[in-house]
Amino acid sequence: IPSTWACVKALGLAGLYRGSLATLMRDVPFSMILFETFATLKQQLQAEDRFEMVFVAGLLAGATAAFLATPMDVVKTRLQAAAPGAKIARLYGQIWRQDPLAFFKGAPQRCLIVAPLFGIS
């Protein structure tokens, strides 16, 4: 496992932040979906004082946000694994042309991991 210093030497300081824009493109919509869905579900389930209903609202909101943010996560992961200089828009186009369903690869697994985290929190 390379050290941070080895990564800086190999990629430069900017290399440490490779994928930052793609991460923001995933995390901002994820958070917007998560918080709005959670608030709506909590209200619909009348969950203010009931732990189990708040937990269910968190589970459903987390799974929904995780599923809908998966395409951005796929692009972020591919960008980080690509050769330096890879462009986000080019990766979106490449995935779309080759296999549009690839945008949702790993979505069920992502939902299974993220949903309980937001149910608990």
Side-chain angles (χ1 to χ4, degrees):
I1 298 176
S3 69
T4 303
W5 183 246
C7 288
V8 171
K9 284 172 62 176
L11 302 172
L13 192 57
L16 293 178
Y17 296 96
R18 187 169 163 194
S20 294
L21 178 61
T23 301
L24 282 173
M25 290 174 64
R26 177 200 62 188
D27 288 352
V28 171
F30 175 90
S31 294
M32 291 170 59
I33 294 164
L34 174 75
F35 290 121
E36 185 59 35
T37 305
F38 180 69
T40 302
L41 287 171
K42 212 166 94 167
Q43 184 180 27
Q44 293 294 318
L45 296 172
Q46 299 171 348
E48 290 303 323
D49 298 332
R50 298 176 56 202
F51 167 77
E52 65 278 359
M53 296 321 273
V54 173
F55 179 73
V56 168
L59 278 174
L60 293 173
T64 301
F67 181 79
L68 293 175
T70 297
M72 286 77 80
D73 191 51
V74 168
V75 171
K76 177 202 66 78
T77 302
R78 290 191 184 193
L79 180 69
Q80 290 175 319
K87 303 291 182 209
I88 294 171
R90 211 175 273 157
L91 284 171
Y92 271 106
Q94 181 183 21
I95 295 167
W96 182 256
R97 284 188 304 278
Q98 290 176 353
D99 182 13
L101 293 178
F103 280 118
F104 289 95
K105 282 188 176 174
Q109 295 86 346
R110 191 169 144 79
C111 291
L112 284 172
I113 292 169
V114 172
L117 295 174
F118 287 96
I120 293 167
S121 66

